[in-house]
Amino acid sequence: MGNFLNVAPTTLLVIVVLVLTALAYVMARSRAMAAADGDARKLHSLPSYYGYNAAMLTAIPALFVLVVWLLVQPVLIQNAVIDMIPQDAVSEGSSVNLVMSDVRRVANGLTTAVDAGALSADAARDLSAADTDVRGLLADNGVALGSDVSADVLAAAQRYRSMQATGQWLMIATIAVIALGGAFIALRATTVDFRARNMVERFVLGLLIIAASLAILTTVGIVFSMLFESINFFKLHPWQDFFLGDTWAPNFRGDSDLSILPLLWGTLYISIIALLVAVPIGLFAAIYLSEYANSKVRAGAKPLLEILAGIPTIVYGLFALLTVGPFLVDLFGRGDDGILGVDWMSGATSVLTAGLVMGIMLIPFVSSLSDDIINAVPQSLRDGSFGLGATHSETIRQVVLPAALPGIVGAILLAASRAIGETMIVVLGAGAIARISPNPLEAMTTITTRIVSQLTGDTDFASPETLVAFALGLTLFVLTLGLNVLALYIVRKYREQYE
């Protein structure tokens, strides 16, 4: 019930704002029609635009302030309450943040007790840790605490609860005033000559700009977050060892060998094998479906092919570990007992295992996109080729594929990026050994699996063994960016022949 009390005011406030928005829309539209004596032709804009303008002025500022308020209020309350916790209240092995977690749990427990009728609001405010078993009281109301509640924690929780309640009432009043003020301003502006359509279109344009900016700013934020942590890593670990070393041997006791080259080799090796599997099969499947298959075959084959894209990667990993890996061991291992009678492969995990399974996973990425691109090639190009006496296969090879090449390169790039960023198939199919070897039948690992490994468990985020994950992530980003630049170069080179 405590959670309900925390959520209900915000939910109710959103509902009220939406109701006011709907009323503002109806009233502004009716006011516009009344101002025009019922003749919409006298209005500058359609009647609905006046309603949209009123709805925007009612909802957008109020909801924006609500979101900001919900983000800022907890930070302000915590900063005000955290000063009430003395340094001696933080036990050895704990931290102020852990104590603040207890404060929040106690505050929510008090709210639950008040809501259940076990305490009055005044009793919760005046509760004393010396006179009351606070832990037992909260346990009776479904809030379990790991230790007894000290007087400092209880006082901080009471202050936290009081400020939270005050903040909620201020939030409700502020949002209500903003919503009503927006509706009032919109209704006053609703006249025959008001350019409501222009206002609405400017708002939509601003919304589109914000959406585009968010996408760009998200990318910039990701890059800078990795860049700053990577700088911290290189302050603790020499860059020569990271970029030029040939050993990956981290240990959290210090003196680690943290070279990216073995991980980069495994990443590229597995990705290349996957693309050697996916690109020919996917491209040939796309050519068949778009140029040779009839409508019935295409309607059945394409959805079945795209099912591969919806299978979770963990399932592919299990398939690699339990099926493909043992088959490759039977083929290339077991000595005289194997199919080929050789002993080249000692275990089911290998570069070839992960590459083959990852290639199967990437087939729909190549085939589906390539099929759509090939179908988008104008029929006039095919007809011109047939008119010059070319056969069907010659038309595909010399006209259709060159014209569709930019899109096909994009499909291959998407598949390559997907292969480079894959984790689960590599973990289960390729193993976890970082080495540089040309043998595809040996176990290796990739950058993504090491990132997960270095950030998993009880780690110190100030150590180079943990910060190296950000340097690996930044390198992976640069690698993907390089693939994009290369793809753009190839696309522009071939486009010049057809434009």
Side-chain angles (χ1 to χ4, degrees), residues 303-313 316 360-365 368 418:
L304 291 176
L305 192 62
E306 291 177 347
I307 288 177
L308 291 174
I311 298 176
T313 56
Y316 281 110
I360 295 172
M361 181 195 69
L362 296 178
I363 289 174
F365 288 89
S368 181
R418 185 71 177 82

Side-chain angles (χ1 to χ4, degrees), residues 10 173 187 316 466:
T10 303
L187 291 174
Y316 281 110
T466 299

Side-chain angles (χ1 to χ4, degrees), residues 203-344:
F203 166 76
V204 173
L205 177 61
L207 187 63
L208 295 176
I209 294 174
I210 291 174
S213 301
L214 285 176
I216 297 172
L217 291 176
T218 300
T219 303
V220 173
I222 292 173
V223 172
F224 275 100
S225 64
M226 292 191 297
L227 180 61
F228 292 144
E229 296 297 339
S230 298
I231 292 174
N232 292 332
F233 166 71
F234 288 118
K235 290 179 180 178
L236 302 174
H237 191 82
W239 65 268
Q240 296 91 337
D241 177 62
F242 180 75
F243 289 109
L244 303 178
D246 58 359
T247 304
W248 174 268
N251 65 77
F252 287 90
R253 298 182 301 273
D255 195 25
S256 299
D257 290 322
L258 301 173
S259 172
I260 193 177
L261 291 184
L263 308 182
L264 185 61
W265 173 261
T267 300
L268 297 179
Y269 204 169
I270 295 173
S271 300
I272 289 172
I273 293 177
L275 292 176
L276 290 176
V277 173
V279 172
I281 297 176
L283 186 56
F284 291 163
I287 293 173
Y288 171 74
L289 290 176
S290 60
E291 297 295 327
Y292 291 102
N294 58 44
S295 58
K296 290 184 179 179
V297 173
R298 176 182 170 83
K302 189 171 182 179
L304 291 176
L305 192 62
E306 291 177 347
I307 288 177
L308 291 174
I311 298 176
T313 56
I314 184 65
V315 176
Y316 281 110
L318 294 174
F319 176 64
L321 181 64
L322 301 177
T323 304
V324 177
F327 171 75
L328 292 177
V329 171
D330 290 337
L331 188 63
F332 296 106
R334 303 190 189 282
D336 294 336
D337 296 331
I339 297 175
L340 298 180
V342 296
D343 194 17
W344 297 343

